[in-house]
Amino acid sequence: MSQPTETPQPLEHLDETWQRMLCVVAHPDDLEFGAAAAVARWTGQGKEVAYCMVTSGEAGIDALHPDEARPLREQEQVDSARVVGVDVVEFLGLPDGVLEYGVALRRVIAEVVRRHRPDIVLTGNFRETWGGRNLNQADHIAVGQAVLDAVRDAGNRWVFPEQLTGERSVGTLEPWGGVREVWAFGSPQATHAVDTTDSFDAGVASLEAHRAYIDGLGWEDFDAREFLEGMARASGQRLGTPLAAPFEVFPMGWGE
């Protein structure tokens, strides 16, 4: 006898009472596989959103040497970001495919957080899988874990103090402890979501802007709309909207 399937739990609406968001992910294209439609919603509300790519995705196209792939993938990401209303896109230049969680990664992300001073930081799923048997990629896991710690590091003046303004410092920044929450999109442990019904088309166009990368993967029959719609409809059913983007929420306060 087959076992009854468990009904997915409803998703809660994200708190959208914020103004500045910083998105930190491993590669160009990461945000477009699930979060770009949500970003389009927020920029449409007049919110400030900036992108930070830890790598340039230079190891992502087998047929192209990294030196050729790097500028191509960076330009596709800049073009993709503009589709959803994001004008600020940074590339930290760390090596693609071999990122390691640790102090060095925390340091560079904390510096970005201190510069942008966001209310919300968005990253990608960093769980071991996507909810089934398909393993997540190592760079995604390393970056997501580092983001959680770097956000807290950014608020502590005694962690990476060389970045800060002061007599013994060579930096020009101040601590930033104003991040309220970190949101991980696409997590299999998502508890919240945002309605993307009206901004879904922009999210599709944003993913389609990564044409060279998609072609480089050999996905000849890949349909961006069909791919994104599957997750968006499933999440929408749990939120009570036609389409939605799911997020796991990590409060940055004490005792929550």
Side-chain angles (χ1 to χ4, degrees):
M1 179 181 294
S2 61
Q3 297 294 321
T5 57
E6 184 177 340
T7 302
Q9 293 296 310
L11 295 169
E12 299 180 38
H13 287 269
L14 286 170
D15 180 356
E16 296 182 282
T17 59
W18 51 271
Q19 182 59 30
R20 293 189 308 277
M21 169 179 281
L22 172 66
C23 302
V24 182
V25 293
H27 316 106
D29 82 80
D30 283 354
L31 288 163
E32 287 66 51
F33 280 96
V39 171
R41 170 188 171 93
W42 295 322
T43 58
Q45 295 172 345
K47 300 183 189 300
E48 302 169 31
V49 181
Y51 283 4
C52 174
M53 312 290 135
V54 176
T55 79
S56 294
E58 68 274 9
I61 302 177
D62 184 70
L64 284 183
H65 188 278
D67 289 344
E68 297 178 80
R70 183 179 294 106
L72 178 62
R73 298 213 63 199
E74 288 183 356
Q75 187 59 56
E76 286 193 335
Q77 182 59 70
V78 170
D79 294 341
S80 176
R82 288 192 182 126
V83 171
V84 293
V86 175
D87 296 323
V88 177
V89 182
E90 296 186 16
F91 300 91
L92 299 185
L94 274 65
D96 183 19
V98 292
L99 296 177
E100 294 182 292
Y101 169 81
V103 172
L105 188 54
R106 286 166 49 193
R107 178 182 287 109
V108 295
I109 296 174
E111 192 273 340
V112 177
V113 173
R114 284 168 167 169
R115 278 194 290 108
H116 286 275
R117 303 172 74 81
D119 306 309
I120 301 292
V121 172
L122 187 151
T123 191
N125 171 35
F126 55 91
R127 300 298 183 180
E128 291 184 355
T129 73
W130 297 96
R133 298 169 61 185
N134 291 331
L135 293 174
N136 200 351
Q137 202 261 359
D139 282 357
H140 300 159
I141 296 172
V143 169
Q145 291 177 338
V147 164
L148 283 184
D149 288 333
V151 164
R152 289 173 289 183
D153 295 335
N156 188 334
R157 71 171 58 255
W158 307 118
V159 177
F160 312 133
E162 73 280 0
Q163 299 173 354
L164 304 177
T165 301
E167 292 182 3
R168 300 183 181 181
S169 170
V170 296
T172 58
L173 302 174
E174 295 290 345
W176 178 247
V179 177
R180 290 157 39 183
E181 294 177 334
V182 172
W183 298 348
F185 70 87
S187 169
Q189 298 185 36
T191 54
H192 292 68
V194 65
D195 183 0
T196 56
T197 306
D198 294 336
S199 55
F200 182 74
D201 287 349
V204 172
S206 188
L207 177 55
E208 289 175 340
H210 292 275
R211 191 73 258 167
Y213 175 63
I214 293 171
D215 289 346
L217 293 175
W219 295 354
E220 296 179 3
D221 299 322
F222 178 75
D223 186 314
R225 180 174 298 276
E226 181 180 12
F227 176 86
L228 293 173
E229 195 169 304
M231 181 175 67
R233 287 203 180 281
S235 300
Q237 288 177 352
R238 296 174 62 190
L239 186 67
T241 62
L243 302 172
F247 296 85
E248 186 173 2
V249 172
F250 299 88
M252 290 292 105
W254 291 96
E256 296 186 55

